[in-house]
Amino acid sequence: MTTKQRSRKRLCAAALIAPALFLSACGSPEPSSSGGGGGADSGEGGSLSIATGGTGGVYYPLGGGFATVIRDNIEGYDATVQETNASVDNMLLIQNGSAQLAFSVGDVVSDAVEGVGEFEGNAIEICSLGNIYNNFMQAVSVDGAGIQSVEDMAGKVVSVGAPGSATEVAALRILEAAGIDPETGVERRQLGAAETVAALRDGTIDAGFWSGGLPTGALIDLASDGDMVLVPIGEYAEPLASEFGDYYVAEDIPANTYEGQTEAVPAIASPNLLVASPSMDEQLQEDITRTIFENEEALIQVHPAAEELDAATAGDISYIETCPGAQTYFDEAAG
């Protein structure tokens, strides 16, 4: 499998990639007790809230792009983005109606559907609008910290990602696979991508994990300093897949993804999905899916991760049902 290469100031700094398209979608509404969009997923129009992630990652800017193409192409609908702690929180926002659409990585989606892990006893009813792009679990440090492998993180100060994020879920699993007790073997911090970069720069952490598309904006920023170290973690994909599921795959971060990175670095890739509640109007499901997959070129201008949009394979997910409206579009696209 191959993957194409791919900080408002700071909330919309990612909009520097594509200001005109993204800035129009920068907004983070307060969750509504009536369900985020005021019943917008009923098919009668309104505002759809998209749960994304932190501003230093990919979910937030790409979600802004999704909001813009939805607004421009689906009559009667507006869309806005929520900055969140990402995957785990996003599933809960769908459950309580504070968001109608949400990004999440495959392992968290599977746990949410099954009611295990962070969702023990609280299975969440969701369906997929498609596999959007691959997330890369990226372990990062800086020269002078003495970290060239996960094993080197033992006894160090390590950020495992924001609370309630897919990064945190996978980072804890990787540490365990490397023989490090995530409770006692490291001094844990829970930081998002931008905060991880700031902490690496000021020396308050030694290493950090981040799960996101390539390239991740915050890491582009860090790489510009000239001392970023990408720590190889690909060897842990197989043990994680064996224990937790097939959504962990060994995949290289291609050479030159980041400034100064002259060689490919083994990492772990997982699919990123866009999910919704099964109660969303079926025609609206279809319209959203069509709008996203048929506006790939515009979305690539927001973030190159959109290059991976592929209607031919987006519905091929074994651990969650594809929303019926999305399936209608995928079947039509395949025909």
Side-chain angles (χ1 to χ4, degrees):
M1 178 173 63
T2 61
T3 301
K4 299 176 185 177
Q5 273 196 280
R6 331 256 186 267
S7 196
R8 311 172 190 168
K9 186 181 178 178
R10 182 149 175 111
L11 287 181
C12 282
L16 294 174
I17 300 170
L21 183 62
F22 180 67
L23 283 172
S24 63
C26 275
S28 186
E30 291 298 320
S32 163
S33 59
S34 63
D41 59 359
S42 66
E44 298 177 357
S47 182
L48 299 166
S49 180
I50 307 172
T52 60
T55 58
V58 177
Y59 285 176
Y60 190 80
L62 190 57
F66 284 11
T68 295
V69 297
I70 288 170
R71 178 186 304 120
D72 290 348
N73 292 279
I74 305 180
E75 186 176 355
Y77 282 91
D78 193 4
T80 55
V81 294
Q82 292 191 52
E83 179 187 357
T84 74
N85 284 332
S87 292
V88 174
D89 280 3
N90 290 356
M91 299 301 89
L92 300 174
L93 290 168
I94 291 289
Q95 183 183 49
N96 70 22
S98 294
Q100 288 71 53
L101 300 167
F103 288 92
S104 187
V105 73
D107 51 355
V108 172
V109 168
S110 179
D111 283 0
V113 170
E114 297 295 329
V116 299
E118 296 284 341
F119 307 96
E120 187 70 44
N122 182 33
I124 296 178
E125 294 186 1
I126 48 176
C127 59
S128 170
L129 295 174
N131 184 358
I132 305 301
Y133 68 95
N134 276 340
N135 242 25
F136 278 73
M137 191 65 176
Q138 301 165 73
V140 64
S141 186
V142 291
D143 290 337
I147 295 176
Q148 298 294 325
S149 68
V150 179
E151 290 86 347
D152 291 337
M153 295 182 190
K156 301 288 189 176
V157 184
V158 179
S159 171
V160 297
S165 66
T167 300
E168 183 179 43
V169 171
L172 300 182
R173 291 173 176 177
I174 291 168
L175 289 170
E176 288 184 322
I180 299 174
D181 187 329
E183 299 294 334
T184 63
V186 296
E187 189 173 337
R188 279 166 55 180
R189 299 290 184 269
Q190 295 172 293
L191 308 174
E195 295 79 13
T196 293
V197 167
L200 284 167
R201 281 175 163 157
D202 64 25
T204 55
I205 66 171
D206 300 300
F209 289 92
W210 174 250
S211 179
L214 297 180
T216 294
L219 299 189
I220 293 174
D221 192 25
L222 180 63
S224 69
D225 295 346
D227 63 350
M228 185 174 83
V229 174
L230 284 173
V231 180
I233 57 173
E235 65 188 282
Y236 303 110
E238 184 174 347
L240 263 62
S242 296
E243 182 172 358
F244 300 106
D246 293 337
Y247 28 75
Y248 294 113
V249 178
E251 185 80 15
D252 285 351
I253 299 173
N256 302 311
T257 295
Y258 296 106
E259 183 178 344
Q261 179 217 339
T262 58
E263 297 181 355
V265 177
I268 299 174
S270 297
N272 273 303
L273 312 182
L274 185 68
V275 306
S277 168
S279 66
M280 176 181 282
D281 176 75
E282 190 169 324
Q283 184 62 54
L284 180 57
Q285 295 172 358
E286 181 180 348
D287 291 345
I288 292 170
T289 308
R290 182 186 307 276
T291 294
I292 290 169
F293 283 86
E294 294 187 357
N295 284 276
E296 178 180 355
E297 292 304 316
L299 292 169
I300 290 170
Q301 301 307 309
V302 176
H303 197 283
E307 291 178 358
E308 297 185 41
L309 286 166
D310 184 355
T313 60
D316 298 341
I317 307 161
S318 62
Y319 45 87
I320 183 176
E321 294 291 331
T322 298
C323 300
Q327 190 64 60
T328 297
Y329 170 70
F330 294 142
D331 290 345
E332 175 189 313

